Amino acid sequence: MSFVEVERVSQSYDRRPILDRVSMSAKEGEFISIVGASGCGKSTFLRLLLAQEQPTRGRITIAGARPAREPGPDRGVVFQRYSVFPHMSVRQNLVAASALGANFFGCLFGAKRKAAQKTADDTLERIGLAHVAHAYPSALSGGMQQRLAIAQALMARPKILLLDEPFGALDPGTRITMHEFLMELRRETGMTVFMVTHDLGEGFKLGDRVLVFDKPRWDPVDPNAIGATITYDFDARDSGIPFQRLQEKTHVPIEA
Amino acid sequence: MQDRPRTLRWINRRPDRAISFLLVIIPFVLVFLAYTIGSEARLAVNPADKLLPAPTQIMETAERLITEADKRSGKILFWSDTAASLSRLARGVAIAAGIALAFGLIIGILPYARTMLSPFVNVLSMIPPLAILPILFILLGLGETSKVALIAIGITPFLIRDLAQRVAELPTEQIVKAQTLGASSFAIGLRVALPQALPRLLGSLRLSLGPAWLFLIAAEAVAADAGLGYRIFLVRRYLAMDVILTYVIWITLLAFLLDLALRLISRHAFPWAEEGL
Ligand SMILES: Nc1ncnc2c1ncn2[C@@H]1O[C@H](COP(=O)(O)OP(=O)(O)OP(=O)(O)O)[C@@H](O)[C@H]1O
Ligand SMILES: [Mg+2]
């Protein structure tokens, strides 16, 4: 069984179908880009993966666990905005990432606090935000804020990372730096990632697969009558150029 | 082609520092002038007129009030009145703030609390607090408790509603993020909602100070043996306009200073909320 298993998931709001029988599966460590027209339900799909909402029908399992009923530390998330806590400094945001889930009060004291601060400082160093450790997020550039948000999400060591247009508000140059940042983190952690994007290039560059969400049919009477589903599932490895790998085991040794 | 010189739209014109200062003081000066002219006109007709005492006379009265002790008690009434009123105000406002913070938070983040308490608080906030002042006097006596209670009761529902609203408006993204970091409901309340509610609390307290003074003075007017409101209503019997005006100016000044203090506190304590204030 695959790591992430989405089985015939449908979601309706007020009886208006948004997603209609979406099925897919992902292997551990796969990077899955999701593209599609605005309003077709990509964010809804991420919310379902996140267990922020329950599907009207169908089920989603991750690592064979029972379907989650609320968001938890096994799923990390970064939104386009508002993903970090504005009232905490950069460093406090990272310390809080360890502290919030540590106990009922979400506070750490003594040696544990020291350890969390140490981890936070190491992380800051690694993601290149050490020089703004004591600034508040509102003082950071968009790229820095998203770097912080991603690092913060990874502190909880989630099984899957969900990104909803994480670089949508960034300029093209910063975007490319962020791609490198994300790919590096991914190489280190081997994380399974779902990323919604409006940038096809970005989707193919980062993803192992690119899923396209769209309505399979159009109802000429009521355009809202039919929900979206996955209409294409591209292999995006090897820069999206197909037939670069052997599909079958040929038992013939390949010469290097 | 030469551009026709265009005057700026009025919405784009801003006064510079000197003009700003001038603009700020103009209304004050106008009111002062109007009062002085009125006062002089009345005094010219009847030098014993008590309704509009001359500004100089108010100054003299103020000086006497601030420095001279009362013959019977030996205390300077002006200051003991101020202390009595400020202490009532502080206690009432502190109680209101504490209750509002607790209820505002739980109504803001817990759907169960919201369902149960939100309509109740809305109904409570419809009760005109002054209408229940007699009930407070009957239940709590004529002492300090009933006055502090009136202030607290008067402003708490507004504060609760405002804070609950603010907490409910926190971006879902933040709440979801906290959950994905493993936070409990309590931890989310304590570490995400509470710190972000505090600057709003100070902001709404600033708005509540007006009503708080109103309730304080009303309660003191009805039954008290000291306090700024009590004194005003006491000397009203002798038409002592100079005393009344001194007290009114003093109350206004106190209110202004309290507002300023709250603003400075929130700017210092919550630098991250700067633009939100
Ligand atoms: N909680 C909700 N209640 C009712 N309708 C909703 C809700 N959430 C989303 N919708 C509707 O579902 C549809 C899909 O929304 P969604 O946010 O998933 O789209 P999206 O693909 O992420 O779009 P975009 O690319 O603009 O972010 C929209 O028409 C939206 O109005
Ligand atoms: Mg979206």
Side-chain angles (χ1 to χ4, degrees):
Chain A
M1 191 165 146
S2 301
F3 191 63
V4 178
E5 198 72 51
V6 178
E7 296 165 58
R8 299 172 68 80
V9 161
S10 301
Q11 180 72 327
S12 315
Y13 295 119
D14 311 320
R15 318 190 71 212
R16 179 158 80 92
I18 302 297
L19 293 178
D20 188 22
R21 283 167 294 173
V22 176
S23 298
M24 60 96 47
S25 58
K27 292 198 285 284
E28 184 160 16
E30 243 179 341
F31 191 124
I32 295 180
S33 302
I34 297 171
V35 298
S38 225
C40 71
K42 305 180 296 294
S43 299
T44 304
F45 184 59
L46 276 202
R47 281 200 297 277
L48 293 173
L49 284 173
L50 188 59
Q52 187 186 338
E53 289 172 8
Q54 298 302 313
T56 331
R57 280 189 302 279
R59 54 187 250 140
I60 297 176
T61 51
I62 292 174
R66 266 200 287 158
R69 296 176 54 216
E70 58 176 12
D74 52 346
R75 292 133 211 252
V77 67
V78 174
F79 300 100
Q80 187 173 354
R81 295 174 61 203
Y82 305 124
S83 291
V84 293
F85 302 116
H87 59 287
M88 298 180 185
S89 72
V90 170
R91 183 168 184 255
Q92 285 167 343
N93 259 291
L94 289 183
V95 176
S98 317
L100 275 174
N103 53 38
F104 177 73
F105 300 98
C107 303
L108 288 176
F109 301 100
K112 285 187 180 163
R113 186 176 174 76
K114 284 263 155 54
Q117 286 171 340
K118 175 81 174 60
T119 320
D121 288 335
D122 292 347
T123 309
L124 283 176
E125 204 64 58
R126 212 162 45 96
I127 64 176
L129 290 181
H131 62 293
V132 286
H134 298 286
Y136 287 102
S138 59
L140 301 188
S141 70
M144 287 176 168
Q145 284 190 25
Q146 289 306 72
R147 233 183 298 170
L148 176 62
I150 294 172
Q152 188 185 41
L154 292 180
M155 292 286 271
R157 307 198 172 284
K159 295 203 180 86
I160 63 170
L161 180 63
L162 305 166
L163 308 169
D164 196 348
E165 300 180 41
F167 313 133
L170 306 180
D171 66 87
T174 313
R175 236 181 239 214
I176 289 172
T177 349
M178 292 301 294
H179 292 166
E180 281 156 19
F181 172 69
L182 185 58
M183 293 321 281
E184 196 184 306
L185 281 182
R186 191 175 158 234
R187 268 195 300 277
E188 282 169 29
T189 57
M191 183 83 53
T192 310
V193 184
F194 285 77
M195 179 183 76
V196 171
T197 176
H198 277 291
D199 181 344
L200 269 181
E202 180 176 272
F204 274 93
K205 175 177 166 192
L206 300 179
D208 297 322
R209 283 159 69 187
V210 175
L211 305 184
V212 180
F213 276 69
D214 200 357
K215 294 183 194 218
R217 291 171 286 121
W218 268 88
D219 187 322
V221 185
D222 179 6
N224 285 333
I226 296 169
T229 188
I230 298 174
T231 52
Y232 290 97
D233 182 346
F234 290 107
D235 184 344
R237 295 169 303 177
D238 311 310
S239 317
I241 305 167
F243 311 120
Q244 299 296 302
R245 290 171 194 232
L246 291 175
Q247 296 292 314
E248 300 165 32
K249 282 222 168 67
T250 56
H251 304 287
V252 178
I254 305 166
E255 284 177 35
Chain B
M1 197 181 88
Q2 182 113 32
D3 262 341
R4 194 158 46 94
R6 269 187 49 202
T7 50
L8 282 177
R9 287 184 187 83
W10 277 100
I11 57 164
N12 292 324
R13 295 196 202 179
R14 281 160 223 286
D16 62 22
R17 275 188 88 96
I19 297 187
S20 296
F21 179 74
L22 207 66
L23 290 176
V24 168
I25 61 169
I26 282 177
F28 291 100
V29 171
L30 284 182
V31 169
F32 181 76
L33 281 181
Y35 179 88
T36 314
I37 293 169
S39 161
E40 266 172 23
R42 284 190 73 103
L43 289 171
V45 177
N46 170 17
D49 181 70
K50 295 190 91 172
L51 282 191
L52 298 181
T56 49
Q57 197 204 329
I58 298 179
M59 289 297 289
E60 279 162 26
T61 308
E63 200 183 324
R64 181 170 53 78
L65 287 175
I66 295 172
T67 53
E68 282 178 22
D70 178 50
K71 287 183 202 73
R72 248 183 309 146
S73 62
K75 285 190 290 189
I76 301 178
L77 292 179
F78 184 82
W79 296 117
S80 53
D81 283 341
T82 305
S85 287
L86 283 184
S87 124
R88 288 166 190 151
L89 193 72
R91 277 182 283 168
V93 169
I95 291 171
I99 296 176
L101 203 53
F103 280 91
L105 276 179
I106 66 163
I107 293 176
I109 54 179
L110 297 179
Y112 267 89
R114 180 155 56 242
T115 308
M116 182 168 127
L117 295 176
S118 192
F120 181 65
V121 173
N122 284 354
V123 170
L124 279 191
S125 70
M126 305 293 168
I127 302 175
L130 286 180
I132 58 166
L133 182 56
I135 303 178
L136 294 179
F137 279 140
I138 294 168
L139 287 182
L140 303 172
L142 298 176
E144 295 300 289
T145 322
S146 52
K147 300 181 190 65
V148 172
L150 178 69
I151 298 173
I153 291 173
I155 63 175
T156 302
F158 162 73
L159 288 177
I160 293 181
R161 283 172 61 169
D162 201 52
L163 279 181
Q165 171 91 10
R166 164 73 189 143
V167 171
E169 275 169 4
L170 285 177
T172 332
E173 285 92 336
Q174 271 183 42
I175 308 293
V176 170
K177 178 82 174 219
Q179 294 182 62
T180 63
L181 295 173
S184 67
S185 300
F186 185 87
I188 293 175
L190 183 70
R191 304 229 34 212
V192 180
L194 173 65
Q196 298 192 68
L198 284 177
R200 177 60 168 254
L201 176 67
L202 286 193
S204 2
L205 276 184
R206 282 175 65 197
L207 292 180
S208 299
L209 275 181
W213 277 103
L214 168 72
F215 299 131
L216 171 71
I217 290 170
E220 287 180 345
V222 177
D225 45 22
L228 298 168
Y230 161 75
R231 195 68 55 196
I232 291 179
F233 277 81
L234 184 73
V235 301
R236 181 187 60 121
R237 294 181 211 156
Y238 319 116
L239 281 182
M241 279 296 272
D242 48 350
V243 178
I244 295 179
L245 284 174
T246 307
Y247 270 76
V248 169
I249 294 170
W250 176 233
I251 290 173
T252 312
L253 188 66
L254 284 177
F256 176 79
L257 291 177
L258 283 179
D259 185 66
L260 186 70
L262 283 178
R263 202 164 73 216
L264 291 181
I265 290 173
S266 90
R267 188 174 302 169
H268 267 91
F270 312 112
W272 51 269
E274 190 75 310
E275 70 264 46
L277 296 175

